[in-house]
Amino acid sequence: MRYKRSIKKNFSVKEQCSFSIREQELRTYRDILVKHQTLSMLCLILTQKSKWVEINNRLKSIKMKNIKIYLILAVGFLAVAGCQKDDIQTFDVNSPGVVFPGAGDAAIYKGYNSADKTYYINESFLNIPLSQETYTIDFPVKISGVAVDKDRTVKYKVIAEKTTALPSQFQITEAKIPAGQQYGYVRFVLSRDNALDNLSVKVSFELVDSDDFKVGSNEYCKGVLNWSNMLPMFPASSFYTRTYNMIILSPLTKLSTSVSYYSPIAHKAVLDALGWPVNYWPRYSNSFEDPGTGTTTILGAYYTDLYARKLQKYLDDYAAANGGKRLMHNAGDGQGIVIQARVNGAVYNPNI
């Protein structure tokens, strides 16, 4: 202030008055600016508060919507759960279920084929003494309930349109679950017939409800018994059927588990071409096992082309030795069609 006063002493009164007016104007402008900044800050705060209020309201709205959604889902889940509980098929000891063995029984019962959901048994009189005119086969069945202390009857129905065996070639003598057992049988008595030296026949049948049992599942109620006087088929489960389809060319894929293109002659050709015994058939695996070593019963995918080429040579040699006549399938969907090996790059041709 002393500095300012000393400066003012060097100016006239008029000039000093002018300075005072300017100082007052500056103070006024400063006050206005301060008020303006205060108002701006206040407006900014109010604006932000308004936004936060809006955001908070929106969050509350979203939370309420989510709560409503959760409530709707919870009610729906309870309703569905209630329906599912009502749809579950249950059995009590007085009405248990009966089925053929499935994939879970493959350690002992190897006949279930998951491709067509059918249990297969393949038999032959080949190893039965010629003096024996009949051959008894017990086709396995099992229950899904508990064992009881009495024999119980199993009912079945032969599917005529899918059965090729004549009535004179078989009889079904009984079908039951013995007392105290989980597994039972449908008993077939087969009759020797020289007509089966060059062909196979089958009986297709299915389980039906009886006084003692309900059919447990549609996936495990179909059975097929094949037999002939020729080579018996290998087990119909997936690992064995893939070995066949990896070597024998057909419209099926090489990893198919179907047996629709199986024929005894093609089976025998594979055994002869590869030097496998009659009672031997390796399981397929996506690996490097070689059954030719004699140390494994698994055919690895790496060797399938090698064995298919051995089969092709066998088929070509057979044709050369028989005036160009080639081996043909004698059963299945390929009956009457030339047997072909699935070598790499081969294309199936039903008109060879």
Side-chain angles (χ1 to χ4, degrees):
M1 292 297 292
R2 289 179 182 177
Y3 176 72
K4 289 183 178 179
R5 285 176 184 173
S6 64
I7 292 177
K8 288 182 180 179
K9 289 179 181 179
N10 297 327
F11 293 95
S12 65
V13 175
K14 183 178 179 180
E15 288 173 334
Q16 289 181 15
C17 289
S18 176
F19 279 133
S20 296
I21 292 170
R22 288 181 180 178
E23 285 180 355
Q24 289 177 357
E25 289 176 350
L26 288 171
R27 290 192 188 99
T28 301
Y29 291 148
R30 183 190 66 189
D31 293 341
I32 292 171
L33 181 59
V34 170
K35 289 179 180 179
H36 178 72
Q37 289 176 341
T38 303
L39 288 172
S40 297
M41 288 298 294
L42 181 60
C43 288
L44 180 61
I45 291 170
L46 291 173
T47 301
Q48 293 298 325
K49 184 177 180 181
S50 175
K51 288 182 177 179
W52 280 110
V53 169
E54 182 180 356
I55 291 171
N56 189 43
N57 289 336
R58 288 184 180 179
L59 288 173
K60 287 181 179 179
S61 175
I62 291 171
K63 286 180 180 178
M64 289 303 296
K65 288 181 179 178
N66 286 340
I67 289 171
K68 291 179 180 178
I69 291 171
Y70 294 150
L71 286 172
I72 292 170
L73 290 174
V75 172
F77 175 78
L78 290 173
V80 171
C83 291
Q84 289 178 339
K85 184 176 180 182
D86 291 339
D87 292 338
I88 295 174
Q89 187 176 10
T90 59
F91 300 98
D92 58 33
V93 294
N94 296 316
S95 183
V98 61
V99 293
F100 292 120
D105 303 288
I108 299 176
Y109 300 97
K110 305 179 186 299
Y112 184 70
N113 186 283
S114 58
D116 58 8
K117 297 178 174 54
T118 302
Y119 193 92
Y120 289 89
I121 289 184
N122 306 289
E123 294 291 345
S124 173
F125 276 87
L126 185 66
N127 297 318
I128 301 300
L130 291 175
S131 59
Q132 184 175 324
E133 293 297 323
T134 61
Y135 183 20
T136 300
I137 304 296
D138 285 345
F139 204 106
V141 292
K142 71 173 188 176
I143 60 171
S144 56
V146 298
V148 298
D149 59 356
K150 66 173 184 177
D151 291 350
R152 287 177 290 178
T153 300
V154 174
K155 279 195 173 181
Y156 57 86
K157 177 179 69 174
V158 173
I159 305 172
E161 62 271 21
K162 294 183 179 181
T163 294
T164 59
L166 301 174
S168 61
Q169 294 171 329
F170 76 98
Q171 282 184 306
I172 300 177
T173 57
E174 62 178 335
K176 69 178 183 180
I177 303 291
Q181 301 296 315
Q182 292 287 131
Y183 289 82
Y185 53 83
V186 177
R187 179 162 291 171
F188 286 79
V189 178
L190 311 181
S191 299
R192 185 184 292 276
D193 188 339
N194 293 334
L196 302 185
D197 288 348
N198 297 302
L199 62 90
S200 62
V201 292
K202 67 180 179 180
V203 175
S204 297
F205 66 111
E206 63 183 11
L207 300 173
V208 296
D209 293 346
S210 68
D211 293 338
D212 291 318
F213 298 105
K214 298 290 185 182
V215 176
S217 170
N218 290 333
E219 293 187 357
Y220 303 103
C221 71
K222 294 187 294 183
V224 174
L225 173 61
N226 296 286
W227 76 96
S228 70
N229 297 338
M230 302 180 294
L231 179 71
M233 182 182 166
F234 45 80
S237 57
S238 60
F239 293 112
Y240 295 99
T241 55
R242 279 179 179 156
T243 295
Y244 180 88
N245 289 322
M246 288 291 292
I247 298 174
I248 298 294
L249 183 63
S250 74
L252 302 173
T253 66
K254 60 184 180 181
L255 291 178
S256 173
T257 61
S258 173
V259 293
S260 60
Y261 276 81
Y262 172 83
S263 72
I265 285 184
H267 181 183
K268 185 67 164 59
V270 171
L271 297 182
D272 290 347
L274 304 182
W276 292 347
V278 170
N279 60 351
Y280 175 78
W281 192 259
R283 295 178 294 117
Y284 168 79
S285 173
N286 187 22
S287 60
F288 294 92
E289 285 88 352
D290 179 8
T293 62
T295 60
T296 180
T297 57
I298 295 176
L299 171 63
Y302 181 80
Y303 289 95
T304 54
D305 182 62
L306 170 65
Y307 287 128
R309 290 186 183 281
K310 289 183 177 182
L311 173 63
Q312 188 62 61
K313 183 180 184 307
Y314 173 88
L315 296 172
D316 291 342
D317 290 346
Y318 177 90
N322 289 273
K325 182 180 179 181
R326 306 194 71 90
L327 277 176
M328 295 185 177
H329 290 284
N330 63 336
D333 290 349
Q335 185 169 358
I337 296 174
V338 169
I339 298 170
Q340 301 165 60
R342 195 185 288 275
V343 298
N344 285 346
V347 178
Y348 179 69
N349 183 357
N351 300 313
I352 294 178

